[in-house]
Amino acid sequence: MSRGSGERLLSILDLFSEERLAWSPAEMMDRLGYSRPTLYRYLKLLKDTGFLTSLPGGRFGLGPRVVELDFLVRASDPIVARSQPLLDALADRFPGTAFVVQWYGDKLLCVASASRDATARTSYPRGRPMPLAAGAAAKVILAHLPKRRQDAILGARADADAIRAVLKDVRRDGVSTAFWEVTPGIVGTAAPILDTGGHPLASICVSMGTERYEALDTTALKDAVRRAARAISEKAIEADGKEIEDA
Amino acid sequence: MSRGSGERLLSILDLFSEERLAWSPAEMMDRLGYSRPTLYRYLKLLKDTGFLTSLPGGRFGLGPRVVELDFLVRASDPIVARSQPLLDALADRFPGTAFVVQWYGDKLLCVASASRDATARTSYPRGRPMPLAAGAAAKVILAHLPKRRQDAILGARADADAIRAVLKDVRRDGVSTAFWEVTPGIVGTAAPILDTGGHPLASICVSMGTERYEALDTTALKDAVRRAARAISEKAIEADGKEIEDA
DNA sequence: GCCAAAATCCCATATTATGAGAATTTTGGG
DNA sequence: CCCAAAATTCTCATAATATGGGATTTTGGC
């Protein structure tokens, strides 16, 4: 009644999740409440434009247009391009996974990653959303946001004050270390990627199992991560960054 | 007049290309002919849903939702998952780039790739569209399509008959080799990835510079590519019918 | 080549998308 | 910090078009 038709169209894409990657028209009608002709009209449009594709069994899945557009996003993203060599170097020097998490105003997404062994590769692939207030990669970004934005994100959390105390230290140190916050048994070490104005654009993080972490020279790790972050920040400065305010 | 509003909404995303990754509202109005309020309504919706993001200078670029959705596509795509180790192995054994090209009914896209040296990595990244009737990867798919589909694609090309002759051999051999067809100086060797019914789903291809190719045992290359393709086909077949239920 | 199920078509109706112009907010310069 | 200029959003009357019930065609399984 009150939602526009474009919104209803895009809602179809919202159905797809890691848990549910294929939908039949009947299931969509059931879930979304659209009439049969309307749903099929939307499906036709999304299929013709490549956002959806037909799967065996009369079901639908996400289509090639998505793949094509992500290629363009990668091409347009200076942080991704500049991060990759540094991620490769970090992954070469330290165990675990090195990855970059980008701040999109209301969302954190891993946008690039590298790791020595292929098995770890899947743990943080490009496109996987991250929690906003847990883990080293998130906290180091949070720590560099203006207070009012921090508060909006921490919101009604019971542990908001505890987190705020940590963030203060993180901001001073330029590095955040987090134990077991996102994945049990994993330690993350992250540093912020900032624009000229000191606003956070992204963060770079190295994560690994606790036992490996404890066998390391953690000061060297912190330094390496901090240095990588600064290198990306400096390169990114040319591209400027005002993405933060409006989003 | 005759195009629906959803179509107009999605047309905004069509503006973005490798050549033009950022658009201002004024440029969009100029190009698309939408009125100011209408365009801004569309932009607000696309920004709120994350398909677009604000860039410095009041311009717009593709947004994080695209990245998220591509992650889901990768997660839902059995061919990508199963190809990667084989691509890595091929890239390890042969120079150049090994990649998988997927057939989406009317489009060919590279969906995964690997190469020994990082410099080559960019030549066929995931998401880059490929021509339908040029190059080894495309021809080997074309060769396994039903005739009527082949004809639809070859269509009005002057060299259609010549291509048809080649395709016949390709189909018999199960391998296609193409010199200089997509990129000057590059030779590609490809084999088809087929479903149980023998319909082409994708192809796997190894491409390299002519001089390197000529220094190789090309029979071994052909065999390796053919074997890799068959391995992926077989794995895809096991999963066939199952990715329908759980996916 | 048959049948059931799925997808599309038809068309009257009401919903809602649209655009001119104005009001508002944001931005950048001094 | 203030102001002017530009960018964005709002209001609202109108026309356009999205919608859904039901008929029709197409598809896929045997």
Side-chain angles (χ1 to χ4, degrees):
Chain A
M1 283 302 183
S2 65
R3 304 193 333 161
S5 114
E7 204 165 340
R8 282 194 295 271
L9 179 71
L10 297 179
S11 296
I12 292 181
L13 300 179
D14 290 338
L15 292 174
F16 296 87
S17 69
E18 240 179 303
E19 291 76 39
R20 201 120 164 49
L21 291 160
W23 289 76
S24 73
E27 292 163 340
M28 293 179 180
M29 281 175 63
D30 187 43
R31 177 70 111 79
L32 297 169
Y34 305 165
S35 74
R36 187 194 316 286
T38 298
L39 178 68
Y40 277 105
R41 262 190 296 259
Y42 287 160
L43 289 178
K44 183 172 195 323
L45 175 56
L46 291 173
K47 209 175 72 169
D48 288 348
T49 51
F51 284 96
L52 292 181
T53 192
S54 302
L55 300 178
R59 297 155 70 105
F60 288 85
L62 294 168
R65 190 85 244 266
V66 168
V67 182
E68 234 180 321
L69 289 177
D70 185 59
F71 166 65
L72 293 177
V73 175
R74 291 199 308 276
S76 65
D77 193 331
I79 291 183
V80 172
R82 285 158 185 152
S83 300
Q84 201 62 56
L86 289 156
L87 288 176
D88 291 337
L90 282 173
D92 201 50
R93 183 167 165 203
F94 300 102
T97 305
F99 56 95
V100 169
V101 171
Q102 197 152 343
W103 167 244
Y104 279 102
D106 59 351
K107 204 178 274 187
L108 284 177
L109 287 183
C110 174
V111 294
S113 71
S115 65
R116 220 181 317 180
D117 51 345
T119 57
R121 182 184 297 172
T122 50
S123 68
Y124 272 103
R126 171 175 175 86
R128 189 190 285 267
M130 309 261 305
L132 288 177
K139 282 187 173 165
V140 82
I141 287 174
L142 204 51
H144 286 81
L145 287 175
K147 279 187 210 72
R148 52 183 55 198
R149 275 196 161 260
Q150 278 182 22
D151 292 341
I153 290 165
L154 293 177
R157 293 175 61 112
D159 55 351
D161 284 334
I163 294 181
R164 259 186 278 266
V166 172
L167 294 185
K168 208 177 164 186
D169 292 345
V170 167
R171 184 159 185 150
R172 173 170 38 72
D173 293 347
V175 177
S176 166
T177 303
F179 297 82
W180 286 63
E181 287 191 13
V182 177
T183 312
I186 297 292
V187 186
T189 304
I193 296 169
L194 305 170
D195 71 9
T196 27
H199 304 118
L201 300 171
S203 66
I204 187 166
C205 180
V206 173
S207 72
M208 65 191 75
T210 312
E211 65 298 338
R212 281 176 169 177
Y213 178 79
E214 283 169 353
L216 272 184
D217 174 356
T218 61
T219 306
L221 173 60
K222 280 183 184 172
D223 277 351
V225 171
R226 220 177 340 221
R227 233 192 322 274
R230 190 165 305 133
I232 300 169
S233 299
E234 280 161 9
K235 286 186 191 165
I237 281 170
E238 305 155 21
D240 195 9
K242 210 167 256 179
E243 287 111 55
I244 310 108
E245 2 247 310
D246 59 335
Chain B
M1 285 306 178
S2 64
R3 304 191 334 158
S5 114
E7 204 166 341
R8 283 195 293 272
L9 177 71
L10 296 180
S11 297
I12 292 181
L13 299 179
D14 290 338
L15 294 172
F16 296 86
S17 70
E18 240 180 303
E19 291 75 40
R20 201 122 166 47
L21 291 160
W23 289 76
S24 72
E27 291 163 342
M28 292 179 180
M29 281 175 63
D30 186 43
R31 177 69 111 78
L32 298 169
Y34 306 165
S35 74
R36 188 192 313 288
T38 297
L39 177 68
Y40 277 104
R41 262 189 296 258
Y42 287 159
L43 290 178
K44 185 171 193 324
L45 175 56
L46 291 172
K47 209 174 73 169
D48 288 348
T49 50
F51 284 95
L52 294 180
T53 191
S54 302
L55 301 176
R59 295 154 70 102
F60 287 84
L62 294 168
R65 191 83 242 267
V66 169
V67 181
E68 235 179 322
L69 289 177
D70 185 58
F71 166 64
L72 293 177
V73 176
R74 291 199 309 277
S76 65
D77 193 332
I79 291 184
V80 171
R82 284 157 185 150
S83 300
Q84 200 61 57
L86 288 156
L87 288 176
D88 291 337
L90 282 172
D92 202 49
R93 181 165 165 206
F94 299 102
T97 304
F99 54 96
V100 169
V101 172
Q102 197 153 342
W103 167 245
Y104 280 101
D106 59 351
K107 205 177 274 188
L108 283 176
L109 287 183
C110 173
V111 295
S113 70
S115 65
R116 218 180 320 181
D117 50 345
T119 55
R121 181 183 298 173
T122 50
S123 68
Y124 273 104
R126 172 177 173 84
R128 190 190 285 266
M130 309 261 307
L132 288 177
K139 281 185 173 165
V140 83
I141 287 174
L142 205 50
H144 287 80
L145 287 175
K147 280 186 209 73
R148 51 183 55 199
R149 271 189 164 267
Q150 279 182 22
D151 292 341
I153 291 165
L154 293 177
R157 294 174 61 114
D159 55 350
D161 285 334
I163 294 181
R164 260 184 278 263
V166 172
L167 294 187
K168 207 177 166 188
D169 293 345
V170 167
R171 183 159 186 151
R172 174 172 37 75
D173 294 346
V175 177
S176 167
T177 303
F179 297 81
W180 286 67
E181 287 191 13
V182 177
T183 312
I186 297 292
V187 186
T189 304
I193 296 169
L194 306 170
D195 71 10
T196 27
H199 303 119
L201 300 171
S203 66
I204 188 165
C205 180
V206 173
S207 71
M208 65 191 76
T210 312
E211 65 297 339
R212 283 175 167 178
Y213 178 80
E214 284 169 352
L216 273 183
D217 174 357
T218 60
T219 305
L221 173 61
K222 280 182 186 173
D223 278 350
V225 171
R226 219 177 340 220
R227 233 191 323 271
R230 190 164 305 133
I232 299 169
S233 299
E234 280 162 9
K235 286 187 192 166
I237 284 169
E238 299 163 19
D240 197 26
K242 194 180 251 180
E243 62 228 15
I244 301 149
E245 283 137 78
D246 62 11

